[in-house]
Structures are given as structure tokens and as C-alpha cells.
Amino acid sequence: MELHDVWFVLIAVLWTGYFFLEGFDFGVGVLTKLLARNRVEKRVLINTIGPVWDGNEVWLLTAGGATFAAFPEWYATLFSGFYLPLLIILICLIVRGVAFEYRAKRPEEHWQRNWEEAIFWTSLIPAFLWGVAFGNIVRGVKIDQEMEYVGTFGDLLNPYAILGGLVTLTLFTFHGTVFTALKTVGDIRERARKLARNLGLVTAVLALGFLGWTQLERGDGPSLVAMVVAVVALVAALGANQAGREGWSFALSGVTIVAAVAMLFLTLFPNVMPSSLNEAWSLTVTNASSSPYTLKIMTWCAGIATPMVLLYQGWTYWVFRKRIGTQHIADPH
């Protein structure tokens, strides 16, 4: 296996880790309006992800940096062609981070309510747009012979990509719902389990449609296996949730995300960004990659840094592993 193939796999792993981890905290952000009945319950939800949300975003920064270094042509075409949706995602992530930090800085109810509203929208919008972006990457976009995107923003809003956005939005919210059931106690835990049951059914229908469409157009044997794993894991997550096994339900919803993202990258390879104008103009792992020397240096750096990141993130989750409920929220007065 060539180094550019290795880095394609590593970037796929980074995006998978990002969607697994950031997926559930996007979902919890959406639940601040769907599940919480009052501001105390909103605080419970926010506190479940408070210690970990910023660490989850490390995976996005690493995935973006690795793409820039390993596949500069892919990075340049992607970020220029998808400039507007990626800019919207960036703004949302900035506002979201500020909202988490500033929400409790002042006691006024309207101040905290406004920041909680920001958390909801800046969780929902990126969860949808990431699906739109990856849907377009897999489907193919208008790339000319100069490796430049020549389409418009409207071209990105096609039925396949919009369906992909709905899948990521519902799947991340389902993932966040079973995480909430895993991390809370009392009434909010029971309501999270009930919501997960209903939301999971909607997610299963949308995911089956999107993955089936992907398989029919671009799939092969390995992608079919990944699709089957994703669907079976999602059904099993629903069963575990119904049985009150929140840990298993969360793990299986994570397997669903991992298998679904793996399927997308399997259908993409050896392309990194197919051209819908002419297949010969597609960006591939070969024509979009950096020099072998650059990839070699990156491989050594990744081998040293990656275990450190995994260790400190694992330690963080271990320290903040206990459940919380409304009884753990101090009276603001």
C-alpha cells in the first residue's frame, strides 16, 4: 500500500472519529429544545457534554490539517468549491463555543436563554450541512481539467445531498439521545429513551434510503458489507435502547456512524473528489497528494501524536463518566 493510500485511510479514520464524538454533542445541543422541558433540564443536557465538547473538535482540526498536508489539491478544491457551507459551519462552531463559555457568565434569564438558543441552532445547522457536504463529495461535483470547482452553491443543494444532510442530522440527534439516556438519571433519562425509540425509526428509514441510493450508484462488495453493518447496528441500537441497555445502545449507534462513514469512503476510493463533468478530471489519491517525502514525515508525526490524543481524551471521558440529573444542578439564587 502506498503512503497516499495510507493517508486516505487515516483521513477517513479522523472524519469517522469526529462524527462519532461530535455527533453526539451536536445531538445533545439539538435536544436542548426537543427534550428539555425547562432551563434546569437544559443545564443538565449542556453539563453532560460540557467537559468533552471542545476535545471532540480536535478531530475536525486534525482532519482538516491532515487533508491540507497530505492532499493539498483536495483541500484547495474542497474549501474553494464548498466555501459558503463550510464558512457557515465555521461560524456556527465559533458561536457554539462562545455560547458554552458565556451562557453562565451573567445571571439574567434573557442572557442565558439567548445563548441556549444559539447552542440549539449552531448544533442543528452543522449536523445537517456536514451531510450535505459529504453527500456532494461522494456524488461528484463540477470539477474542470484544472482541478477547480466550477459549479455554484445551488448545485450543492441536490436531492441526494439534502437526503444526506437529513441522515446526519437525525443520526447525530439519535446518537445524542442515547448518550443523554446513558449520562442522566430520573425523568429526563426515561424521556430520552422514549424519544430515541421514535427518532431511531425515522433515522433508520432515512439512512436506509441514503445508503441504498449510494450503493446502487457507486457501491461494490465492501461498501455493501459496511452498509449492512450500519443498518444492523442501528436496529440493534434501537433494541438495546428499548431494553434499557443505554451503554450498548450508545455503542451500537456509534457503530452505525462508523460503518456509514466507512461506506462513503469505500465508495469514494480511489477518488477523493469525483468530477461530474468528466471522470478523467476527478481528484484521486494519486494526483491530489503531496510528495512521498512529505507523507513520510507526516506519518512519523502522526505515529507520535495520535496515541497522546487518544490517551488524554480517554482520560477525560473516564473522569467525567458519572450520570447527572436535575438534583445535581445548584440553585442559581
Side-chain angles (χ1 to χ4, degrees), residues 184-191 327:
T184 57
V185 295
D187 182 56
I188 193 170
R189 174 190 177 190
E190 295 303 318
R191 284 188 283 116
Q327 68 270 28

Side-chain angles (χ1 to χ4, degrees), residues 21 49 166 187 200 213 263:
L21 296 171
I49 59 173
L166 293 175
D187 182 56
W213 190 347
M263 179 189 178

Side-chain angles (χ1 to χ4, degrees), residues 76-83 140-156 273-278 281-283:
T77 304
L78 176 64
F79 279 77
S80 60
F82 292 28
Y83 180 82
V141 292
K142 295 180 179 179
I143 300 174
D144 65 12
Q145 65 270 33
E146 302 297 327
M147 297 186 181
E148 294 183 3
Y149 177 74
V150 293
T152 64
F153 176 69
D155 293 329
L156 303 179
M273 214 166 170
S275 172
S276 60
L277 299 178
N278 187 331
W281 299 342
S282 297
L283 276 67

